[in-house]
Amino acid sequence: MDGGPSRTAMMAAGGRAAHLVVDSEPYLFRDTLAAELLGGRAEEVLGYHRQFGDHVVLCGTRAQVNARSSYTETRAAAGFPQYVILGAGLDTFAYRSPLAREIAVFEVDHPATQQWKRELLEAARIDGAAARFVGVDFERDDLAAELAAHGFDAQKPALVSWLGVSMYLTESAIAATLAVLSGFAPGTELVMEYALPAELRDESGTAYAEFALPAAAEQGEPWLSYYSPETLSELLGKHGFAVAEHVSQRDAVDPALWRRTDSLHPADLCRLVRAVVVAD
């Protein structure tokens, strides 16, 4: 990203905001600040979901971003003293969750995205001091050094979320980031979202990919990396992680939440892996 708003961050926040407007209860997740943070763009983004909400991409985006946020924030309640959000985009945990008063929250993202977010926070009159902004280009910068400079304690366990990012990175950048994370304190948990190769997707995941992947490439944010659960487990193992579970979108939330009267349904295009840093 070379400056200005991130399309993917906008889509993710829009999906969280629209879920509470377009879809019926029960809600997968309640991001009550997403629309407020989008400010003047909120009605434009919500308007697409209101008008075309049943389209596979918009419906799929709402399911994806809300299921993954629900799963990850449930892990944040497990008692970690630090929470690192890689590729934070327009995440609102630090400004919305009561847990943010108990956890040191580090938002890591491209400096241009963070400047845009700071402007949105100021315009919405949301106190941005609840999070520590760590500007990092994953392809070039030293993640460990930047985190340390902002007060991160690598000797204390942390929850690290890495949602909606790995598919946009090269495999070498992913490996380099995992190498840094493996140096965090034993007991540190990573929740990472990853894209499945074409042969492992279900019908809904395939339909979503047919629309979303070309559109992402046209916008300058192509998907670059794909993993099967087995290949990702192997990579994580090489970097000192023990895999606790791989989680499909369907299994990321209470099964009862998928018994719905609207068009929202899970797709198997992206999954989550939860892995733990183990002691040497």
Side-chain angles (χ1 to χ4, degrees), residues 6 27 43 70 120 172 209 230 238 249 269:
S6 162
Y27 297 125
E43 278 308 309
S70 177
L120 292 177
S172 61
E230 294 76 19
K238 289 178 180 177
Q249 194 179 106
L269 170 60

Side-chain angles (χ1 to χ4, degrees), residues 3-276:
S6 162
R7 174 182 172 274
T8 53
M10 184 85 73
M11 284 185 61
R16 296 193 305 271
H19 181 46
L20 302 180
V21 175
V22 175
D23 301 313
S24 59
E25 294 192 47
Y27 297 125
L28 306 181
F29 182 69
R30 294 175 181 266
D31 188 337
T32 54
L33 274 186
E36 191 174 340
L37 186 58
L38 285 169
R41 298 294 295 273
E43 278 308 309
E44 175 190 349
V45 174
L46 292 175
Y48 286 123
H49 284 270
R50 286 193 183 101
Q51 188 172 0
F52 307 109
D54 291 344
H55 189 280
V56 62
V57 171
L58 294 179
C59 187
T61 296
R62 295 198 306 279
Q64 179 183 7
V65 299
N66 286 288
R68 74 191 188 193
S69 291
S70 177
Y71 177 87
T72 306
E73 291 198 14
T74 296
R75 295 307 306 162
F80 297 97
Q82 304 178 108
Y83 182 21
V84 178
I85 309 174
L86 299 180
L90 299 183
D91 189 277
T92 63
F93 173 88
Y95 323 102
R96 167 180 43 77
S97 174
L99 285 172
R101 293 193 291 268
E102 307 168 18
I103 303 173
V105 181
F106 300 84
E107 293 195 3
V108 182
D109 213 329
H110 194 286
T113 296
Q114 291 191 328
Q115 179 58 38
W116 169 54
K117 184 174 186 176
R118 286 175 185 270
E119 293 168 0
L120 292 177
L121 286 167
E122 183 176 358
R125 298 185 178 180
I126 298 171
D127 183 5
R132 306 181 196 190
F133 288 86
V134 184
V136 168
D137 183 328
F138 286 100
E139 298 282 356
R140 291 191 291 268
D141 294 336
D142 186 332
L143 174 59
E146 292 296 333
L147 279 168
H150 288 79
F152 180 76
D153 187 348
Q155 302 305 309
K156 294 180 179 179
L159 174 68
V160 180
S161 72
W162 204 9
L163 308 178
V165 178
S166 72
M167 57 285 296
Y168 299 101
L169 299 179
T170 62
E171 293 188 4
S172 61
I174 292 169
T177 301
L178 292 176
V180 173
L181 300 180
S182 67
F184 291 1
T188 291
E189 278 193 10
L190 169 66
V191 177
M192 172 183 171
E193 185 179 27
Y194 64 98
L196 295 170
E199 64 272 15
L200 295 183
R201 301 168 192 161
D202 67 2
E203 184 177 350
S204 294
T206 298
Y208 185 101
E210 286 176 352
F211 282 96
L213 270 61
E218 289 174 9
Q219 294 290 327
E221 297 180 317
W223 287 30
L224 302 175
S225 298
Y226 305 87
Y227 294 96
S228 69
E230 294 76 19
T231 57
L232 185 54
S233 290
E234 181 179 358
L235 178 62
L236 287 162
K238 289 178 180 177
H239 288 283
F241 287 89
V243 172
E245 60 180 346
H246 288 269
V247 183
S248 68
Q249 194 179 106
R250 178 177 296 278
D251 295 331
V253 299
D254 187 319
L257 298 180
W258 293 119
R259 295 197 284 271
R260 315 186 58 82
T261 58
D262 55 28
S263 59
L264 211 65
H265 63 277
D268 205 15
L269 170 60
C270 296
R271 293 185 189 175
L272 301 172
V273 61
R274 181 167 65 89
V276 183

